[in-house]
Amino acid sequence: MQFKEIIGQERVKQQLVQTVKENRISHAQLFLSPAGSGAVPLAIAYAQYINCLDKGENDSCGECSSCRKYERLIHPDLHFSYPFFASANIKTAVDVLEEWRGMLMQDPYFDMDIWRSKLDAANKQANINIAECHDIIKKLSYKAFEAETKVLIMWLPEYLDKAGNALLKLIEEPPANTLFILIAQSQDQILTTILSRTQIVKIPKLSSEEVTGYLLNAGGLTEHQAIDYSFLADGNLIEAKALAADTQSDSSGTFTAWLRMGFGNKVPDLIEFTDEAAKWGRENQKNFLKYGVNYLRECCLILSGAEELVKLPPLTFETAKKLSTHVLTLPMAEAIIGELEKAHYHIERNANPKILFLDVSLQLVKIIKFKTLPAGTQYIYN
């Protein structure tokens, strides 16, 4: 991966190159970026530039033995760590390394949903466990095989939990010529003990012009479509690609159908939906609830008269507009958001999904059909 292959982020590229030229590479860096901004390819290109045997002024050569191995992600001194779904056969990240390499080679712009689709998630939750932390310590204790600098790229250290404390000494006092690059999306969810030991590199979301340019170069879209999709994606290249490919999740249809069942007080249909939702698996259930929260927040913008701020795909936007006009009120939308957020919290803590989704379904009936709002969501209008 070379810097020239990465979309946008020119300021960050120059900043990273400059640290190499001035020999002031911090041994532990935290790339803090929103989803779809290119933090992973930036980290790989940075590591490749550091270990390139014939560095150019602003990029690696792409031809030396080190660069060729980096291009195929098989350099013996390049290590990856990432969330995975532990099982009897999968104990550390290395056990799914082929799937990880395959995904990166196919497209270095991805998120947790795309990574989950490459694995057998079943009903498990992803994390970076203590066994993975011990494996990192073991790998980095070895001398470098070929390169001058060993590099560990950890994607989403938010999934470390308390197991990350095992890495504190290694991050603070690593072996000579060892570089840690942590790639995170939420600074607040990272262990403070790890955060305090890293140098933060903030990577901004892509500009609308950069996303539009990419979509036009990829082909298949008119300029008007590219501009619209760029606006909807809000700097997230992953979302922009999904819009362009028309591969939107069916969560919109499922969620709006669920709301209609509640509005129609169709209890048999709600029970059938509950039985189906209970089979989805925990991660898919969490994603569905998260989608519902985001969808209703967009509905709140419509109800507040701020349609120009809504970032829903065109067809989904029309459905949301009809729902907001004929069914929902602002207090009702906020009350449902509260119920979905509570359900997400309980799903994370292994609540029984059948009982939980049935309870939320009945709450939808109370809120949408009978307009009975939970305490604390009533408003006095002037």
Side-chain angles (χ1 to χ4, degrees), residues 296-311:
L296 286 170
R297 283 175 178 163
E298 299 298 305
C299 289
C300 287
L301 289 174
I302 297 172
L303 288 162
S304 302
E307 291 185 11
E308 68 277 3
L309 300 178
V310 175
K311 291 181 172 62

Side-chain angles (χ1 to χ4, degrees), residues 111-124:
D111 56 17
M112 192 61 196
D113 289 336
I114 294 172
W115 174 228
R116 184 184 299 109
S117 70
K118 307 294 182 183
L119 304 174
D120 180 17
N123 202 30
K124 300 183 286 292

Side-chain angles (χ1 to χ4, degrees), residues 4-120:
K4 66 181 181 182
E5 300 173 42
I6 299 167
I7 299 156
Q9 306 298 1
E10 297 304 323
R11 182 190 61 79
V12 179
K13 291 176 187 175
Q14 189 57 43
Q15 177 185 337
L16 295 175
V17 167
Q18 203 64 29
T19 63
V20 180
K21 289 181 178 178
E22 297 175 2
N23 195 27
R24 52 179 181 84
I25 303 169
S26 176
H27 70 269
Q29 301 183 38
L30 173 64
F31 284 19
L32 194 60
S33 69
S37 60
V40 173
L42 270 172
I44 297 172
Y46 183 38
Q48 180 170 323
Y49 184 70
I50 290 170
N51 285 315
C52 177
L53 302 177
D54 187 20
K55 296 179 183 62
E57 182 65 21
N58 295 306
D59 211 341
S60 53
C61 69
E63 297 177 358
C64 67
S65 60
S66 175
C67 284
R68 288 200 300 270
K69 290 174 183 176
Y70 261 90
E71 290 292 341
R72 291 180 289 160
L73 305 175
I74 58 171
H75 197 289
D77 296 312
L78 173 65
H79 306 284
F80 291 100
S81 183
Y82 35 80
F84 60 94
F85 303 91
S87 66
N89 299 321
I90 300 172
K91 295 181 172 60
T92 64
V94 173
D95 296 326
V96 288
L97 181 58
E98 288 307 310
E99 291 85 347
W100 173 262
R101 282 176 175 158
M103 179 183 67
L104 271 176
M105 296 292 287
Q106 182 179 354
D107 190 347
Y109 291 83
F110 58 91
D111 56 17
M112 192 61 196
D113 289 336
I114 294 172
W115 174 228
R116 184 184 299 109
S117 70
K118 307 294 182 183
L119 304 174
D120 180 17

Side-chain angles (χ1 to χ4, degrees), residues 153-273:
I153 297 175
M154 178 180 285
W155 180 59
L156 298 184
E158 296 96 317
Y159 284 79
L160 268 172
D161 292 330
K162 293 181 180 178
N165 287 320
L167 297 174
L168 295 182
K169 183 173 176 58
L170 185 66
I171 293 175
E172 189 167 8
E173 299 176 5
N177 299 322
T178 300
L179 171 62
F180 285 89
I181 302 177
L182 311 182
I183 302 170
Q185 295 174 6
S186 175
Q187 183 175 339
D188 295 338
Q189 294 179 20
I190 302 172
L191 289 170
T192 55
T193 48
I194 288 181
L195 196 60
S196 63
R197 289 166 168 80
T198 60
Q199 181 184 70
I200 297 178
V201 178
K202 291 189 176 180
I203 299 171
K205 65 182 180 182
L206 296 171
S207 68
S208 295
E209 292 76 16
E210 288 167 341
V211 177
T212 300
Y214 170 82
L215 293 176
L216 288 173
N217 290 334
L221 294 178
T222 65
E223 184 176 358
H224 181 71
Q225 286 175 318
I227 292 171
D228 282 350
Y229 289 156
S230 173
F231 173 75
L232 291 170
D234 191 27
N236 185 337
L237 193 66
I238 301 165
E239 183 66 22
K241 287 181 178 182
L243 286 164
D246 195 24
T247 56
Q248 292 298 302
S249 166
D250 62 355
S251 293
S252 173
T254 306
F255 183 73
T256 53
W258 191 28
L259 293 181
R260 292 192 183 100
M261 292 176 208
F263 179 69
N265 195 17
K266 299 177 181 178
V267 176
D269 290 342
L270 288 171
I271 293 174
E272 185 178 341
F273 169 81

